[in-house]
Amino acid sequence: MARPSTVFACSECGGESPKWAGQCPHCKAWNTLEEFKVVQPRKGREAERKTQSAGPVPLTDIDADDAPRLVLDWGELNRVLGGGMVPGSLVLVGGEPGVGKSTLLMHLARQVAARGAVLYVSGEESARQVKMRADRLGAVHDRLLMLPETDADAVLGAIEITAPKLAIVDSIQTMYDAGLEAAAGTVSQVRECAARLQRLAKASGTTIFLVGHVTKEGSLAGPRVLEHMVDTVLYLEGDRHQEFRILRATKNRFGSTDEIGIFSMGEAGLEEVADPSAALLGENSLNSSGTVVLAAVEGTRPLLVELQSLVTDSPYELPRRSATGVDLNRLHMIIAVVETRARLRIGKRDIFVNVAGGIRVSEPAADLGLALSIASNLMDQPLPGGTVVIGELGLTGEVRRVGQLDRRLQEAARRGFTRAIIPSGGTVAGRPAELDCIEVRHLTEAISVAFSPDLVPAPRIHIE
Ligand code: TYD
Ligand code: MG
């Protein structure tokens, strides 16, 4: 059966529908369906594909390591990409306007230019603007080529002629294919341009990075439309007023999706943060009530993060509960557990929770730390210095075991911490000797341990 020449795609989730509807049948978002034209494969292209297939081969004959990766200067980028840049892959870098996507990709361009040609296509900024940024970042290089262009044909042509190792298209929403009637930034254009770039990447071996803006208004076809088509999806997160930026892989055909890369934004652009625990711990606040250090794990990497709570009398009938860096629903649950299981009266107080440095902690292993931070501020009693807290909380207040405990403890010991409050049970073998591990089974036990007057204060840790 012939495919219809028009279908409708949702600009939120990328799902397709044969008919227009007010609500997307896939993700249930309203008013997001956009008509787009299915470009029929040309006869020649179809025939080409048939002759290209080499037929089935036994798995044993395939060398899985045959994706030679280009290892970049920044370990943080390599980690998120799964060990380096894979030739011929298509990578989408999403993020809100102003978060630093163009800046990050200019740094990437410079690192690749040291090894081969790089083409930076900008549909948003003039050649002068791009040059000014490159100057500031120290990224100017004679193998780094710049093309201000929005016409997909011209962009593809330039990639074919220059045959770069890396091409950056900033942004995919500004590109248009003259063969389509739709305006740039619509679902039809974004998909068609990306599809053509993908075929070119595969055929030529050039790695192509696409920039995709995520807008809250949804006026542009979001990167979600492209997530199905590309090999790797990276999101750059962070508050533009804060120092840290997190690059997170949400899809990766060539590596794990749990990994994050951490960067800090400064005068000369971004810098990788190779030792985030050191960067994230603020020395000043560590001994004040409400502050707790957690040992979180992102992907394979342990991270010490500082979490603060402020519990105050509310002037309102309905108390406010606000969380930055932790899930608000999780906070509500922890408040309920603290109140009913540990019998600390919170009542109608406002509670504000913040994770330092703009980091987001989503794992339940942060529960116990969050609970102790609230308890600490409520009782106006700081935790003894040099202590990290690790553990998940159940609804009865029981402290549950968490994954990768040894890794967390080793990171804490490495940073000079001397005491850890952890869930009971598990093997003792991998625990660092310099860390005094106090096992707790219940939140009440954790509170009495943490705020016990008998507990000898550990020597104050020093963070450089
Ligand atoms: P940009 O890379 O243009 O963001 P995007 O491409 O995601 O829209 O980054 C813009 C922000 O980064 C802007 O707010 C200024 C800041 N910035 C610095 O602080 N230092 C720098 O050296 C550069 C280049 C940008
Ligand atoms: Mg930009």
Side-chain angles (χ1 to χ4, degrees):
M1 202 173 76
R3 285 188 78 180
S5 59
T6 19
V7 291
F8 295 84
C10 171
S11 59
E12 280 292 313
C13 72
E16 288 180 18
S17 320
K19 286 193 311 232
W20 189 86
Q23 189 183 25
C24 169
H26 305 282
C27 71
K28 311 288 177 214
W30 287 95
N31 291 325
T32 54
L33 290 198
E34 264 185 50
E35 180 179 350
F36 87 97
K37 301 222 168 15
V38 177
V39 180
Q40 299 294 342
R42 288 174 209 140
K43 289 237 165 59
R45 212 185 273 165
E46 190 69 7
E48 193 184 323
R49 198 169 65 210
K50 282 201 180 108
T51 53
Q52 269 176 4
S53 169
V57 280
L59 271 180
T60 47
D61 291 359
I62 300 171
D63 183 5
D65 296 329
D66 68 355
R69 291 172 186 264
L70 198 145
V71 178
L72 304 157
D73 298 351
W74 282 354
E76 295 297 293
L77 275 177
N78 291 327
R79 183 204 314 275
V80 180
L81 289 168
M85 204 176 85
V86 177
S89 62
L90 185 65
V91 182
L92 172 69
V93 179
E96 289 179 10
V99 72
K101 299 180 294 298
S102 304
T103 307
L104 178 70
L105 292 181
M106 185 55 84
H107 285 292
L108 170 72
R110 175 63 183 82
Q111 293 176 25
V112 179
R115 298 160 172 93
V118 177
L119 178 64
Y120 193 111
V121 179
S122 182
E124 307 203 329
E125 291 161 312
S126 68
R128 237 186 107 240
Q129 284 172 308
V130 174
K131 172 74 193 295
M132 273 161 56
R133 175 183 291 120
D135 267 335
R136 194 132 65 91
L137 306 183
V140 179
H141 192 286
D142 57 3
R143 276 200 297 256
L144 174 46
L145 312 172
M146 160 68 201
L147 175 71
E149 184 57 79
T150 52
D151 180 348
D153 285 309
V155 172
L156 267 85
I159 296 176
E160 273 166 0
I161 291 167
T162 53
K165 272 197 186 314
L166 166 69
I168 293 165
V169 177
D170 187 358
S171 65
I172 188 66
Q173 284 127 338
T174 55
M175 296 296 138
Y176 74 94
D177 182 323
L180 296 179
E181 279 157 24
T186 55
V187 175
S188 319
Q189 284 289 4
V190 165
R191 285 177 64 128
E192 180 57 14
C193 292
R196 290 183 66 186
L197 287 162
Q198 184 191 35
R199 286 192 291 269
L200 180 61
K202 293 276 169 301
S204 65
T206 293
T207 305
I208 302 184
F209 273 67
L210 307 177
V211 171
H213 293 296
V214 181
T215 57
K216 292 207 177 78
E217 305 79 47
S219 53
L220 296 167
R224 310 219 60 182
V225 172
L226 296 173
E227 284 180 358
H228 316 282
M229 308 170 61
V230 301
D231 298 308
T232 304
V233 180
L234 308 178
Y235 276 98
L236 188 62
E237 304 168 355
D239 188 326
R240 27 187 322 178
H241 306 293
Q242 294 234 19
E243 183 187 352
F244 294 106
R245 300 286 183 281
I246 312 259
L247 186 65
R248 197 182 287 274
T250 61
K251 167 180 176 178
N252 196 352
R253 289 194 178 133
F254 307 109
S256 155
T257 51
D258 297 326
E259 298 295 352
I260 60 165
I262 304 184
F263 304 89
S264 71
M265 179 70 88
E267 280 297 298
L270 289 163
E271 258 178 64
E272 65 171 341
V273 179
D275 189 355
S277 296
L280 291 173
L281 296 179
E283 194 176 1
N284 295 337
S285 52
L286 279 183
N287 267 5
S288 43
S289 83
T291 299
V292 165
V293 177
L294 313 169
V297 169
E298 287 278 0
T300 55
R301 155 194 252 184
L303 268 185
L304 299 183
V305 291
E306 186 184 314
L307 183 143
Q308 301 180 332
S309 295
L310 184 62
V311 184
T312 63
D313 284 331
S314 180
Y316 305 104
E317 189 54 30
L318 266 180
R320 279 173 302 175
R321 306 282 149 90
S322 139
T324 311
V326 290
D327 180 53
L328 187 61
N329 285 327
R330 203 78 195 169
L331 173 63
H332 286 309
M333 186 203 109
I334 301 293
I335 293 170
V337 173
V338 169
E339 185 143 46
T340 50
R341 303 299 180 185
R343 305 204 178 282
L344 289 180
R345 224 181 114 55
I346 294 170
K348 287 190 176 162
R349 289 189 171 98
D350 288 339
I351 298 185
F352 303 93
V353 173
N354 183 37
V355 178
I359 299 284
R360 216 178 57 212
V361 188
S362 50
E363 43 162 17
D367 290 353
L368 184 60
L370 179 52
L372 287 187
S373 135
I374 293 170
S376 159
N377 194 248
L378 196 64
M379 299 167 11
D380 195 22
Q381 215 178 318
L383 261 83
T387 307
V388 288
V389 182
I390 303 162
E392 180 180 344
L393 274 185
L395 288 178
T396 68
E398 82 274 21
V399 178
R400 296 202 180 139
R401 281 155 66 176
V402 302
Q404 313 198 55
L405 181 64
D406 291 351
R407 205 172 244 160
R408 300 173 200 263
L409 294 175
Q410 274 147 19
E411 177 73 359
R414 190 181 72 81
R415 291 297 329 158
F417 283 77
T418 51
R419 184 181 292 129
I421 300 178
I422 60 171
S424 67
T427 51
V428 183
R431 297 184 190 167
E434 55 282 34
L435 209 59
D436 177 18
C437 294
I438 306 174
E439 296 191 358
V440 293
R441 276 164 304 239
H442 194 274
L443 177 59
T444 48
E445 202 183 334
I447 289 175
S448 63
V449 161
F451 305 111
S452 153
D454 311 333
L455 201 65
V456 186
R460 183 97 165 74
I461 59 152
H462 175 73
I463 295 158
E464 66 270 19

